[in-house]
Amino acid sequence: NNNNNNNKPLLFFHGISPAGLTFYCPFVLSGIGNDDRDTFLFENESISFVPVFHPVTHAMHVDGIEEAVHKHLKKDQSFTLAGHSYGSLPITWTLHSPSLRNRIDQIVLLDPVTILLSEPDVLLNFIYNRRETMADPIQGGTMFGRFVEHCDRAKIRLLAGSELFTQWYLRRYLSWHNAELWLDDIPKHTKVLVCLSEMDEILNAPNVKREIDMHNKHNNNNNFANIETIYWKGVGHAHCVVHPHMWKQVKKHMDAQASVTTNTTPTGKRSKRNNNNNNKNQQRSKQKQGRQRGGKKYKK
């Protein structure tokens, strides 16, 4: 285990893709995890084009993550969570784990569908594919721009959205009602990086960015975690996974966040220990004052 504070162990969760983690290995091993840190790759066969008749529930997801952390990491060792697209959902579930919540040092969300999941965008764009074609700002709303966007949507629909077992899992077994990430639920000590693609074909990136900006604006007293964003112009969903120059940008922001230390105590054990030390110091000062008073009285 690496004890360097800037090299927290990395737990990565993939999105919906053929062959599951295989598609993400270059991004993780040569991109955000290329600094010799301990890396844990979690694979979900239900979204990996594998015939699965007994999908893993969200509670089983969290149990597996807890087992891996408790078995392979030191006690109370903090770590980094990263996930792309669907991979942001297990991160949301992990945030509500009592044994892991306070150990999460950093969260990296790439094209996260978990933010504003209660809005209709993700459901309509991926499950039903009913979103109207937008005018491409880069192409000026031309026919060619609409054709490129149509090809991107068709690619997602054919490669991921139409797979039988993926659709069966999402429609019948996914807990949509508890998969949304409320930004106020993120622990204050956790550093958060959200990466968005302006032309995302699944989630509404401008609305998500607006939600994050509003959260940071109202976080004047630092009662909640501050969230940093990377907003890529003119690119669509999953572009960050296949373009190495984007890997470097994400890694640079991760390292910058990791170098910043927070004053917030991540666990309650230290605060209790500090309170006990303060109480002991107060008792000692009172006893010392009492002895001094008693000595003066004796001399008098």
Side-chain angles (χ1 to χ4, degrees):
N1 289 329
N2 197 329
N3 294 325
N4 190 342
N5 291 330
N6 296 331
N7 262 350
K8 303 291 184 183
L10 174 66
L11 281 63
F12 181 79
F13 307 90
H14 67 90
I16 298 174
S17 68
L21 277 170
T22 305
F23 178 71
Y24 289 89
C25 283
F27 168 73
V28 178
L29 302 180
S30 299
I32 63 175
N34 66 346
D35 49 7
D36 295 330
R37 69 172 69 202
D38 298 328
T39 303
F40 299 82
L41 305 177
F42 294 85
E43 186 167 45
N44 185 356
E45 292 185 343
S46 299
I47 57 172
S48 303
F49 291 33
V50 176
V52 177
F53 296 95
H54 301 285
V56 177
T57 64
H58 78 276
M60 297 169 67
H61 266 289
V62 177
D63 290 341
I65 298 169
E66 290 177 346
E67 181 180 357
V69 169
H70 295 156
K71 182 176 181 180
H72 298 287
L73 297 184
K74 296 179 180 179
K75 185 178 180 181
D76 295 333
Q77 183 180 8
S78 57
F79 50 83
T80 296
L81 296 176
H84 175 257
S85 190
Y86 175 92
S88 60
L89 271 60
I91 294 178
T92 301
W93 299 328
T94 306
L95 279 171
H96 298 285
S97 169
S99 63
L100 299 180
R101 174 181 174 84
N102 293 324
R103 299 175 62 178
I104 303 174
D105 178 74
Q106 185 181 39
I107 294 176
V108 182
L109 301 173
L110 305 123
D111 298 330
V113 298
T114 185
I115 303 176
L116 297 182
L117 187 60
S118 56
E119 298 290 328
D121 297 283
V122 174
L123 188 65
L124 292 179
N125 296 338
F126 191 82
I127 302 296
Y128 299 106
N129 194 36
R130 292 182 180 178
R131 185 173 183 174
E132 295 181 359
T133 302
M134 301 182 298
D136 190 347
I138 292 185
Q139 301 296 336
T142 62
M143 290 295 294
F144 178 74
R146 295 191 184 96
F147 174 75
V148 171
E149 184 182 0
H150 173 75
C151 292
D152 290 338
R153 294 184 184 281
K155 175 180 62 178
I156 293 177
R157 183 173 68 253
L158 294 176
L159 292 180
S162 62
E163 201 273 326
L164 176 62
F165 287 93
T166 300
Q167 285 288 329
W168 183 58
Y169 170 70
L170 295 178
R171 292 171 182 263
R172 300 296 181 185
Y173 287 92
L174 178 62
S175 302
W176 292 86
H177 63 280
N178 63 359
E180 180 170 5
L181 173 61
W182 300 94
L183 302 180
D184 294 350
D185 290 341
I186 302 175
K188 180 181 177 181
H189 70 273
T190 302
K191 299 177 280 288
V192 185
L193 175 63
V194 178
C195 305
L196 300 170
S197 303
E198 181 188 29
M199 304 301 296
D200 199 305
E201 298 84 3
I202 297 178
L203 59 97
N204 193 327
N207 281 0
V208 174
K209 186 177 185 302
R210 192 178 303 114
E211 180 74 11
I212 295 173
D213 292 341
M214 188 180 302
H215 167 84
N216 290 334
K217 180 180 179 181
H218 293 285
N219 189 22
N220 296 328
N221 297 326
N222 293 324
N223 294 324
F224 305 103
N226 189 61
I227 302 174
E228 297 183 16
T229 57
I230 298 177
Y231 195 72
W232 290 301
K233 297 282 188 177
V235 298
H237 194 83
H239 274 62
C240 61
V241 180
V242 296
H243 290 85
H245 70 278
M246 292 183 172
W247 306 351
K248 296 179 181 179
Q249 188 177 3
V250 175
K251 186 65 171 63
K252 182 178 179 180
H253 278 75
M254 290 175 61
D255 292 341
Q257 282 189 337
S259 63
V260 177
T261 57
T262 56
N263 296 325
T264 306
T265 304
T267 60
K269 294 181 179 180
R270 290 185 186 174
S271 60
K272 291 181 179 179
R273 189 182 300 119
N274 293 335
N275 291 334
N276 293 333
N277 292 335
N278 292 334
N279 293 334
K280 291 180 179 179
N281 293 333
Q282 291 177 359
Q283 291 177 0
R284 290 175 181 173
S285 61
K286 290 181 179 179
Q287 292 175 358
K288 185 176 181 181
Q289 292 176 0
R291 286 196 298 266
Q292 290 176 351
R293 293 173 184 172
K296 290 181 180 179
K297 184 177 180 181
Y298 175 78
K299 289 180 180 179
K300 186 177 179 180

